[in-house]
Amino acid sequence: MHILEANTRPMIAFTKHHPSRTDFFSRHTSNGACRKLAARQLIWAEGDLRNEVCFVRSGTVCFYKVLMDGRRVVTGFAYPGDMIGFGIGPHQRNAEAVQCCKLEPMTMANFQSAIASDNDLSDFVQAQSSRELCSSYEHLMVLTKMTASERLAHFLTGLSTRNRRLGYSPNSVLIPMRRVDIADYLGLTIETISRTFTTFKTHGLIGMEDPCVVFILNLERLAALARGACDEEGSVSVCRKIAA
Amino acid sequence: MHILEANTRPMIAFTKHHPSRTDFFSRHTSNGACRKLAARQLIWAEGDLRNEVCFVRSGTVCFYKVLMDGRRVVTGFAYPGDMIGFGIGPHQRNAEAVQCCKLEPMTMANFQSAIASDNDLSDFVQAQSSRELCSSYEHLMVLTKMTASERLAHFLTGLSTRNRRLGYSPNSVLIPMRRVDIADYLGLTIETISRTFTTFKTHGLIGMEDPCVVFILNLERLAALARGACDEEGSVSVCRKIAA
DNA sequence: CGCTTGTTTGATGATTTTCAAGCGCAGTGG
DNA sequence: CCACTGCGCTTGAAAATCATCAAACAAGCG
């Protein structure tokens, strides 16, 4: 219990997701009972059987895979309002609580029958699968073709956009995950992440009071960077000029 | 018609996939009628509606996305025996014939009802989706954590493994795609691809008589590289020693 | 107060990109 | 028939980004 509170990472701003988005899920679970997870706690491991799907009520979840030699890749994150765990076959990747989390579970059996009978739920699942596929392709683009600055800008504007969509300020972004997670997600090292944050700071793109809170001071330029906006003026160096 | 023959790229060795794998598909199409595509011909574009799914009878298909500024990412390839085009919503990426292809189409309506009634087909679709998801995670690993040599080794051993699975020699690999496609797939430039091929050649890992035909002379070392076999001896430089 | 964990900063080095040029081959047209 | 052109691949030299190694700093906790 105590360890649950010992999490210094900020809860992400939109801890309480829009209530209407929870209804279609809760009507198939016992009574909306939540499981609490401490920060850094493993939710399931690669290869585990799919026993249940979960609705994320609060906190942030991180999905990752590890190579034999310890190299790690973060394939994505899940935030409040997301559903996690559906798919076919055993789990393909580890899931871990980035900060303390509340997850509302539903057994696989319930989920199967709920999908069949509840259009709201099956629509939601379809929509989320589609979004995930789409963003995984976009992520490939980020990893293969973008510079460090562009990648981090992409990451930050993503969080910002999510804020706006949920009715929060797009200009102040809470970063629930550690630098390692961001690095392994963006295919960079923690040092590069840190340095790029500093570059953004010194050039007035963002402000930071601690590593977890970012104020976006120039969303336009940040978004241009994230888009890889090298159209105007020609060359790649423009990207760096935008940051500089 | 003539342009169809004008393709100098070799047809991939396993042009004729295992016949049993075609039955469950053909019994839902008109009569196995195929559409012929010339090399480099667009099959569908990102954003297009999903009108049909196709079974790849011969040739190779390449999936990719393009940024506004022309940067391109190849997200994957499809080979004879693969099904392409299923999913939800409009197409998420462009599909293009790498070499001349024969595709057997099935309308989306037919596909939907076939899925519902034919267990062989729905099993196949599930299995392929699962494989694609799995390999997309692995691909993330390749892109974020591997060196140029490791990436190309991974690519080559992948083709080799496919050969073996289909009963062909794992030691001679036909490369149906151009260097650009490989580069955009592996997140590198064509120059790096070319240089790495040369490195492999000069160190006896592979032999090449033309850019499309690779003989794997030391599959073991190539596979070790592909695995990122830096376990023995500790550091990353071992990877380069393996290649050297 | 010392220890641990996570972040930042610095200096150095290396892998990969970029820019440039050359080569081989196939198809074209005079 | 042969030069010419376009395309794809290769190779070279130089520059640049990012990783690596190392150390210092800050905050929380026992």
Side-chain angles (χ1 to χ4, degrees), chain A residues 31-117:
Chain A
N31 53 0
C34 278
R35 179 178 314 148
K36 280 192 179 189
L37 288 139
R40 318 291 303 280
Q41 195 176 332
L42 193 66
I43 302 174
W44 62 67
E46 189 180 342
D48 283 0
L49 290 180
R50 261 177 233 280
N51 298 318
E52 55 187 28
V53 298
C54 292
F55 195 82
V56 182
R57 291 259 166 241
S58 70
T60 303
V61 174
C62 161
F63 302 101
Y64 64 94
K65 287 174 83 94
V66 197
L67 240 65
M68 313 109 260
D69 58 358
R71 288 184 283 188
R72 193 182 78 132
V73 177
V74 169
T75 62
F77 300 100
Y79 303 101
D82 290 337
M83 256 181 65
I84 62 175
F86 56 83
I88 46 185
H91 285 294
Q92 308 264 12
R93 43 188 193 172
N94 305 295
E96 183 182 293
V98 158
Q99 47 181 176
C100 55
C101 283
K102 284 188 193 159
L103 302 182
E104 187 180 343
M106 185 193 296
T107 65
M108 218 51 193
N110 275 3
F111 179 65
Q112 299 293 3
S113 65
I115 280 280
S117 64

Side-chain angles (χ1 to χ4, degrees), chain A residues 3-21:
Chain A
I3 193 174
L4 278 179
E5 314 306 330
N7 179 15
T8 61
R9 295 262 151 199
M11 292 299 285
I12 206 146
F14 31 92
T15 289
K16 299 220 174 295
H17 50 277
H18 198 290
S20 75
R21 298 180 66 191

Side-chain angles (χ1 to χ4, degrees), chain A residues 67-69 71, chain B residues 146-147 150 153 220-243:
Chain A
L67 240 65
M68 313 109 260
D69 58 358
R71 288 184 283 188
Chain B
M146 286 189 160
T147 66
E150 290 172 332
E220 212 171 313
R221 285 208 298 170
L222 201 67
L225 244 184
R227 264 183 274 110
C230 304
D231 324 294
E232 330 141 10
E233 320 267 291
S235 91
V236 181
S237 64
V238 175
C239 298
R240 279 151 224 145
K241 273 216 301 245
I242 290 179

Side-chain angles (χ1 to χ4, degrees), chain A residues 9 40 178-180 191 194-195 198 208 211:
Chain A
R9 295 262 151 199
R40 318 291 303 280
R178 292 172 306 160
R179 295 289 184 263
V180 201
E191 292 96 331
S194 185
R195 274 185 247 276
T198 307
M208 276 169 61

Side-chain angles (χ1 to χ4, degrees), chain B residues 1-2 63-66 86 109 120 132 138 173 179 228 235 240:
Chain B
M1 250 338 146
H2 179 251
F63 302 101
Y64 65 92
K65 287 175 81 94
V66 198
F86 56 85
D120 291 349
E132 273 174 21
E138 195 177 321
V173 173
R179 296 288 184 263
S235 91
R240 279 151 224 145

